[in-house]
Amino acid sequence: MTRKGGRVTADQVKTAGGPAQLIAQLVSDLVKGTHEERAAAALTLKCLTEQASIHDLKEGKRKENSELIAEAGAIPGLSEAIEIGGAGPHALAALANICLGSAKYQQQLLDADGVPRIAKGLRGGDPPTQTAAAAAAASLSQLVASRQPLVNVGAIVSLVPLLKGGHEAQVHAAQSLAELAKGFGTAGAHSIAALAQSKGDSLDAPRAKVQTAIAKAGATELLVSMLESGKAQEAASHALERLAEGNEEIQAEINAKGGIPRLVALLGVVNIDTQAHAAGALAAIASGDNTDEQVSSSGAMGTLIASECV
């Protein structure tokens, strides 16, 4: 193991006695070490979450580094490390990787005071810290139970300005806003077919309030402009899809900002996830009484119907 932190080599794993021993020592340093040791441990743990698995169990099963780190009890220590100078962005990035797609680890982060610490990183951090905090927010907000706490601590007004930042910040902020715009209920996103038949229907009031808060913070125009940025298109179209669902005011705003032709253009891109989110956003916009004709005249309806039949 290196006290300086950084990418882990096979020799370092061997010297530590194996992956489990290495990670256990890093977690110990993270919790009990000096300021310098805690920062170095956070950096090394972050690097491990970005590396291929270093662990091969005897029975032939493999575990990702992120899972090994979480099982070693690192999440509370990483949450605390967010507030340590020099460790913050590394701890946030490690948590973003560990919690992505895992409700179990997201809940652990929520229980470890992750929300106020992520919010602090979003508000007062330097650009690298803000970007890492946005990534952590994007992972944590996949957990329904985390969304209202994130909204309550002002995450929306901190995330929207990041849509004007660098590429990574833009993507993570848009991903976070897409998750928050789903609301606090358990009902998932509507299918394209359901949206096409939902004229006049509204989603639950709390969700509508979150959507409106995101739009009033200035997100809609920024997200529409991001549709022209290749690497940000998927996240931007996803956020617009969630904002437009059941919300006619936002549907009209997306149309007014020139979003419809830009979304139509994305129906032909290579990235199928971007295609799907663009189609979902257009279907949501088409569900509104004041915007259905604009979507129809754009020539998108045939593609939307075909995509629903595939």
Side-chain angles (χ1 to χ4, degrees):
M1 184 183 66
T2 173
R3 290 294 181 182
K4 295 181 180 179
R7 186 173 178 84
V8 175
T9 66
D11 286 343
Q12 290 169 334
V13 174
K14 183 177 180 180
T15 300
Q21 291 82 356
L22 171 66
I23 290 172
Q25 183 59 57
L26 287 169
V27 173
S28 177
D29 285 352
L30 182 71
V31 175
K32 302 176 183 178
T34 65
H35 182 99
E36 183 180 24
E37 288 172 341
R38 295 178 79 181
L43 172 58
T44 304
L45 288 168
K46 182 206 78 166
C47 290
L48 278 172
T49 66
E50 297 169 346
Q51 290 179 236
S53 173
I54 59 171
H55 191 57
D56 196 351
L57 299 178
K58 291 181 180 179
E59 59 266 33
K61 296 181 180 179
R62 295 182 68 84
K63 290 188 178 181
E64 295 299 323
N65 294 341
S66 291
E67 185 177 359
L68 288 169
I69 292 167
E71 289 181 352
I75 289 176
L78 286 168
S79 179
E80 290 183 8
I82 293 172
E83 299 184 296
I84 298 173
H90 306 312
L92 285 162
L95 288 166
N97 294 332
I98 291 168
C99 293
L100 182 63
S102 172
K104 176 182 177 182
Y105 301 148
Q106 291 158 6
Q107 185 64 53
Q108 288 182 21
L109 178 55
L110 181 63
D111 294 340
D113 294 326
V115 167
R117 288 167 173 156
I118 290 171
K120 185 176 180 181
L122 287 171
R123 286 195 306 269
D126 55 15
T129 300
Q130 288 181 316
T131 298
S139 293
L140 180 58
S141 58
Q142 292 177 330
L143 183 72
V144 174
S146 75
R147 294 174 193 158
Q148 186 160 0
L150 283 165
V151 170
N152 290 347
V153 296
I156 290 172
V157 294
S158 297
L159 286 164
V160 170
L162 297 182
L163 298 175
K164 296 183 285 188
H167 163 66
E168 284 190 43
Q170 285 184 318
V171 170
H172 296 317
Q175 290 169 333
S176 299
L177 293 170
E179 295 297 332
L180 294 177
K182 293 178 182 178
F184 312 145
T186 56
H190 296 296
S191 70
I192 293 174
L195 279 168
Q197 299 171 5
S198 65
K199 292 184 183 231
D201 294 338
S202 61
L203 300 178
D204 57 283
R207 180 181 185 187
K209 289 180 179 179
V210 175
Q211 291 171 316
T212 300
I214 293 171
K216 286 187 175 180
T220 309
E221 183 172 7
L222 295 171
L223 290 166
V224 168
S225 69
M226 287 169 58
L227 294 175
E228 296 185 337
S229 174
K231 294 182 178 180
Q233 289 171 338
E234 180 182 339
S237 57
H238 185 198
L240 289 169
E241 176 185 11
R242 301 308 178 209
L243 287 171
E245 286 175 343
N247 194 310
E248 291 199 355
E249 289 186 9
I250 296 177
Q251 294 162 9
E253 184 181 6
I254 293 171
N255 177 46
K257 300 299 182 183
I260 290 176
R262 296 178 186 181
L263 288 165
V264 171
L266 296 184
L267 297 177
V269 299
V270 174
N271 186 320
I272 59 173
D273 291 323
T274 300
Q275 287 183 29
H277 289 312
L282 287 165
I285 296 168
S287 71
D289 289 331
N290 300 318
T291 48
D292 55 341
E293 291 185 5
Q294 286 83 354
V295 176
S296 297
S297 63
S298 71
M301 293 307 295
T303 303
L304 294 179
I305 294 171
S307 67
E308 189 66 18
C309 295
V310 172

